[in-house]
Structures are given as structure tokens and as C-alpha cells.
Amino acid sequence: MLNCGHLIHSECFDSYFKTKIYCPVCKKFPFDEEVKQEFANSIQREMDNTVMSDELASIQVSIICNDCLVKSTTNFNIVALKCKD
């Protein structure tokens, strides 16, 4: 069982999570908080190390977080769009 409460066959899990990081049903991050924090830190490092043009870096985008379901505005980044929470 995934941390979000959904079930997935072990064969499907192995195949699906080679390329995806979210539950196929609810789109939430399906692992425990420690793994979630490690992943968030990894993404943040990648975002920090990605050089973007001033034009792209100045774009603000509206998102709805799949984990907390909060709508917010964040800076555009080609690596990821990150929730404020």
C-alpha cells in the first residue's frame, strides 16, 4: 500500500515508479515524509543549479499542489514547479 492509501501491484509498482514520482490514482507523493523530504531537497538542489534566462526566471505561474491541494503562485523553473508549503 502506498502512503496515500492506494494499492498497486508489485510488478506495476516497479514499472511505474521507474519514471513517475506520484500515485497513479490521486497524484500525491506516495512515500513517507523522510523520502518526501529527501526528494524535495534533491529537486531544490537541481533547481538551484539550473541556469535560466532572466525572461524565464521572471515568469510567475499558478499551481495547485497535488499533496496539499493549495493553489499558489510560484516562480517558473524548467526543473519543477514547487509548492510554497
Side-chain angles (χ1 to χ4, degrees), residues 2 5-6 15-17 19 32-33 36 40 46 49 51 69:
L2 302 176
H6 293 109
S15 175
Y16 183 82
F17 286 104
T19 60
D32 65 30
E33 284 300 315
K36 183 178 180 178
E46 192 68 30
N49 292 324
V51 178
L69 303 176

Side-chain angles (χ1 to χ4, degrees), residues 4-75:
C4 58
H6 293 109
L7 299 173
I8 187 169
H9 298 105
S10 59
E11 305 90 32
C12 298
F13 178 93
D14 293 341
S15 175
Y16 183 82
F17 286 104
K18 285 181 181 177
T19 60
K20 308 280 190 306
I21 56 157
Y22 51 82
C23 172
V25 177
C26 67
K27 306 298 185 221
K28 292 185 179 187
F29 194 82
F31 306 110
D32 65 30
E33 284 300 315
E34 184 178 334
V35 173
K36 183 178 180 178
Q37 191 58 51
E38 288 174 19
F39 179 75
N41 291 342
S42 173
I43 291 294
Q44 187 61 57
R45 281 191 301 275
E46 192 68 30
M47 290 171 71
D48 292 343
N49 292 324
T50 300
V51 178
M52 293 191 8
S53 69
D54 291 339
E55 182 181 358
L56 289 178
S58 66
I59 296 173
Q60 293 280 300
V61 292
S62 294
I63 63 169
I64 299 175
C65 177
N66 289 331
D67 287 318
C68 67
L69 303 176
V70 171
K71 185 176 182 179
S72 64
T73 302
T74 190
N75 294 331

